[in-house]
Amino acid sequence: MLNEHDPFNAYKQTSINARAAAANPHEMVRMLLDGLLEEIQRAAGFMQRKSFEDKGQSINKCLNIVHGLDSMLDLENGGEVATKLNQLYDYCSRQLVIASVENSTTALIPITKVITDVRSGWANLN
């Protein structure tokens, strides 16, 4: 469990906030994708430990990140890439809910694969 008064945690959060404020949209998406992959791992750990409340909070964070990524898409001008990403994010959202309801780490695997692939593609857009 995170301690809100932990100086390291406060430093880490401040560092993340500073990077987010300085990030361009391309970097912001990369940060969100990285954060999503980290949070999926946390959710899996909570599932394995049967820490259901923490798992629920972690899955909610994942869903919020996915919705944030989806809301950044320009579906009118983004062409096929935006449409495909929208479909992938929709799939990930539905799969996250299934994983949570079933308390299934196995159900998280395809999400991790999809987001890792998106992250790899995004990294090549420099």
Side-chain angles (χ1 to χ4, degrees):
M1 183 139 315
L2 289 176
N3 180 352
E4 294 174 6
H5 303 291
D6 176 11
F8 177 73
N9 191 42
Y11 168 79
K12 184 177 169 188
Q13 189 59 48
T14 301
S15 174
I16 289 169
N17 291 343
R19 282 186 310 182
N24 64 40
H26 183 86
E27 292 167 335
M28 180 64 72
V29 170
R30 189 174 319 145
M31 288 174 62
L32 288 170
L33 292 168
D34 288 344
L36 179 55
L37 289 169
E38 290 173 14
E39 197 60 43
I40 290 169
Q41 286 185 323
R42 260 187 232 101
F46 292 138
M47 287 176 182
Q48 290 167 342
R49 291 189 296 279
K50 298 192 184 327
S51 180
F52 300 119
E53 185 176 333
D54 291 330
K55 176 213 56 176
Q57 291 173 357
S58 187
I59 292 292
N60 279 337
K61 286 180 188 176
C62 290
L63 287 166
N64 286 336
I65 294 170
V66 171
H67 293 146
L69 287 163
D70 191 55
S71 72
M72 295 174 80
L73 295 174
D74 182 352
L75 294 173
E76 287 185 28
N77 302 310
E80 186 179 349
V81 171
T83 301
K84 292 291 183 195
L85 285 171
N86 175 258
Q87 291 169 351
L88 288 173
Y89 294 151
D90 180 60
Y91 166 77
C92 288
S93 292
R94 287 183 281 114
Q95 193 68 20
L96 281 163
V97 171
I98 290 168
S100 183
V101 169
E102 296 177 356
N103 204 54
S104 169
T105 57
T106 304
L108 295 173
I109 294 169
I111 305 165
T112 300
K113 168 101 176 80
V114 166
I115 298 302
T116 299
D117 289 349
V118 170
R119 172 66 174 85
S120 295
W122 202 256
N124 292 328
L125 290 177
N126 292 329

